[in-house]
Amino acid sequence: VLFIVKVYQKRRLNVRIGAASSMISSVRALGYIRVSTAEQAASGLGLAAQRAAITEACGQRGWELADILVDSGLSAKGTDRPGLQAALSRLAAKPPADVQALVVAKLDRLARSFPDYADLIRLSAKEGWQLLALDAPDASTPHGEAMQAITAVFAQLERRLISDRTIEALAAARA
């Protein structure tokens, strides 16, 4: 049964990334991890947990984890982050990129803006690589794609609520 599941996963990836008729024998993936604050970066706990989840998920899928790129102490408000930009450059490399997938432990580590998330999904489809968010449904099905988009919308909501609470707290402290 495990062999059949692995073959199915490889075939599904083959369809999703628009590969030629031959099945991809080995998926090479990049991991991407991020924490927002300097305190989180200094403790290393959030980064270690994300790294462990990505490493385990790649191992379970039989994927080779080529590298894990890190952005420490940076917000996911936009996509202009050194680690993320390095990952996107490697995924876009031609002829064919040395990696075929980007793996994140949580979707909100990648993007907290729905437009940024949508841009990344469009980019992955255009360039032929897979985005795997471990906390979101598999986006290779219509329902999974919709659920992943809803997860991105809630990540944006959370970012906006945090911002509103911070503004209120600062206003109260000044009063």
Side-chain angles (χ1 to χ4, degrees), residues 26-112:
S26 176
V27 174
R28 286 180 43 103
L30 285 177
Y32 174 73
I33 59 178
R34 181 192 65 79
V35 291
S36 301
T37 68
E39 293 81 20
Q40 290 171 317
S43 77
L45 297 177
L47 294 172
Q50 291 175 62
R51 184 182 306 275
I54 290 168
T55 301
E56 180 180 345
C58 287
Q60 289 173 345
R61 287 168 174 77
W63 292 3
E64 177 187 347
L65 183 56
D67 198 1
I68 296 180
L69 297 150
V70 182
D71 281 320
S72 295
L74 296 174
S75 168
K77 187 176 183 180
T79 59
D80 190 20
R81 291 170 260 147
L84 179 57
Q85 290 303 313
L88 295 175
S89 292
R90 283 187 66 184
L91 288 157
K94 301 288 182 228
D98 70 321
V99 290
Q100 299 83 33
L102 179 63
V103 182
V104 294
K106 295 184 176 207
L107 193 58
D108 69 359
R109 302 295 84 201
L110 181 64
R112 285 215 173 182

Side-chain angles (χ1 to χ4, degrees), residues 9-20:
Q9 286 173 340
K10 288 178 184 175
R11 285 189 179 151
R12 188 177 68 218
L13 178 64
N14 191 40
V15 169
R16 289 209 50 222
I17 66 171

